[in-house]
Amino acid sequence: MSVIPPSSGRILLVDDEIAITTALQKLLATHGFVAEAFSNAKDALRRASEVDFDVIVTDISMPDMDGVQLLRRIREHDLDVPVILFTGAPTLESATEAVNYGALQYLLKPVPTKEFLDVIRRAVQLRRLAATKRAALNELGTNAGEGTRAALEAAFERALEKLWIAFQPIISAGSGRLFGYEALMRSGEPSLRQPEALLDAAERLGRLGDLSHRARRLALAALAEDQDWTLFLNLHPHDLSDDALLDDLLECPDRLGRLVLEVTERASLDSVPAARTKIASLRETGCRIAIDDLGAGYAGLSSFIQLEPDVVKIDMSLVHDADKSGVKRRLIRSLTEVCQDLGYCVLAEGVETTQERDLLLDVGCDLLQGYRFGRPDRRFVAPSW
Ligand code: G
Ligand code: MN
């Protein structure tokens, strides 16, 4: 066996059985590694925040914080360091968690010396590979935050705490005056600032309910203002299957006449059980229903049949440059006519230019929304016309 020079890797060992860490520490030292041993996870965690280890080896069952908890805490700030869990009492649960939180290996005690050393050497190499890869990604500016579940969970928690609502004005086409505001969720957490990223994280973590509930509470609080404008609130298809939606609405029953719930056309409602009944019970609270993003996805008519909307929002992909495209112009015109015949109020969103605005006025849309009138903002910005 070749002798590995010193500095071949810095290893953190954690086990409440000191005899084990002492033996491993000696073994590692004779093979050129620098190993530090701790008998509890808390002290080990503190040390790991001071020094960069190449590999962390931890027992699973320990008093206070166990090895899986330690792994989770480490992943909150270090996505790369290989963590090896070892245990005398393997369980499916701990093995599953080990995988979920990105453990490199799950070893059974007692670990044969050769196998242990092989695993450690491979882990040190992987650590170096990860560091090089991350440096390259940072250099290229493409570090898209690949990571583990715990890192995503930690970011999501921060995002929930820093959740805030932006309000974008909606204008009455007839008068050019303010009609209402659409509530748009935003977060102060840099990695999850935009709603798409936030919703994607919530979906992956099974936390859509928590995110919607929080955003809804913040947005509905705005209705408490003694004003007469209408609030537009986006629903996720998941919300329709969540009793918390109705509960939250019923906390402010006297304000629901000023609320419009937007349901996107992008996702089919066919996957929502009893969507029609649910929409009906929402409507019974006094709020109105809008179909969002019309023309952006999904071509069927089932969302109309299921929702019987009060308002239809024409997607910005149709509105953008509509004054320059005969096809878009004709589409908007016929959509508006058909919807108004059916008794729906037509809102055009994503209006950015005066030319687009004038075209939509000519077509006869009822409501207008877009940067031309006002951008989403923390404050209730007065629209320009
Ligand atoms: O899907 P929904 O209609 O809820 O999406 C609204 C999103 O569109 C918001 O995030 C908002 O910031 C953005 N938005 C609003 N007005 C405009 C606009 O005039 N142009 C563009 N490009 N985006 C807009
Ligand atoms: Mn919307």
Side-chain angles (χ1 to χ4, degrees), residues 244-293:
L245 170 60
L246 202 54
D247 294 345
D248 288 347
L249 295 180
L250 292 175
E251 278 191 22
C252 50
D254 49 320
R255 299 174 227 154
L256 298 180
R258 287 173 50 214
L259 182 66
V260 178
L261 297 175
E262 299 188 8
V263 182
T264 179
E265 250 245 312
R266 285 176 205 272
S268 155
L269 290 179
D270 295 344
S271 60
V272 179
R276 217 175 156 162
T277 328
K278 290 194 175 127
I279 296 286
S281 56
L282 290 175
R283 197 177 251 124
E284 267 170 33
T285 67
C287 65
R288 282 161 286 168
I289 304 290
I291 289 187
D292 200 3
D293 312 311

Side-chain angles (χ1 to χ4, degrees), residues 318-335 359 363:
L318 271 178
V319 169
H320 182 64
D321 278 344
D323 55 296
K324 298 184 190 125
S325 153
V327 175
K328 285 186 177 178
R329 217 165 35 226
R330 278 194 293 281
L331 274 172
I332 294 177
R333 207 176 277 282
S334 36
L335 270 176
L359 167 78
V363 165

Side-chain angles (χ1 to χ4, degrees), residues 20-224:
I20 294 186
T21 47
T22 310
L24 291 178
Q25 198 175 13
K26 271 195 196 134
L27 173 71
L28 288 168
T30 56
H31 287 82
F33 296 94
V34 177
E36 292 186 37
F38 289 87
S39 62
N40 70 78
K42 282 212 174 97
D43 291 344
L45 191 61
R46 194 172 321 118
R47 186 66 180 144
S49 69
E50 295 164 1
V51 176
D52 276 336
F53 286 95
D54 292 302
V55 183
I56 297 175
V57 182
T58 176
D59 183 25
I60 292 184
S61 50
M62 294 182 288
D64 300 329
M65 191 191 297
D66 69 25
V68 175
Q69 286 168 316
L70 173 64
L71 168 61
R72 279 182 68 159
R73 295 288 302 276
I74 284 170
R75 284 287 174 259
E76 285 172 14
H77 55 83
D78 190 330
L79 299 180
D80 297 327
V81 63
V83 175
I84 296 162
L85 295 171
F86 65 150
T87 179
T91 64
L92 184 59
E93 196 195 353
S94 64
T96 310
E97 283 183 308
V99 173
N100 279 346
Y101 292 104
L104 176 69
Q105 203 118 13
Y106 185 86
L107 296 176
L108 301 187
K109 284 184 193 173
V111 189
T113 304
K114 180 171 181 317
E115 185 186 344
F116 182 73
L117 288 171
D118 284 348
V119 168
I120 296 286
R121 281 193 196 102
R122 182 167 154 261
V124 171
Q125 283 166 343
L126 284 175
R127 167 60 150 177
R128 289 181 182 154
L129 174 63
T132 316
K133 211 176 97 185
R134 207 166 276 281
L137 287 172
N138 283 335
E139 189 63 34
L140 297 169
T142 51
N143 192 351
E146 88 190 77
T148 61
R149 187 183 167 91
L152 188 63
E153 246 168 29
F156 182 74
E157 285 301 336
R158 290 193 299 272
L160 266 191
E161 267 164 38
K162 294 184 202 155
L163 197 71
W164 60 279
I165 304 293
F167 297 94
Q168 185 178 31
I170 292 171
I171 320 297
S172 287
S175 65
R177 297 239 173 86
L178 180 76
F179 176 80
Y181 289 95
E182 178 174 357
L184 297 159
M185 66 164 97
R186 298 284 187 267
S187 177
E189 162 60 24
S191 60
L192 297 173
R193 218 178 269 292
Q194 288 301 318
E196 296 76 28
L198 205 49
L199 285 164
D200 184 56
E203 196 163 352
R204 285 162 63 188
L205 295 169
R207 303 282 303 275
L208 276 171
D210 294 337
L211 176 61
S212 289
H213 174 65
R214 183 130 185 164
R216 203 155 59 219
R217 302 279 301 225
L218 290 172
L220 288 174
L223 272 181

Side-chain angles (χ1 to χ4, degrees), residues 182-184 232-235 262-263 292-293 313 349 369:
E182 178 174 357
L184 297 159
F232 288 68
L233 179 66
N234 291 287
L235 293 190
E262 299 188 8
V263 182
D292 200 3
D293 312 311
K313 297 186 79 169
E349 62 183 2
Q369 176 182 358

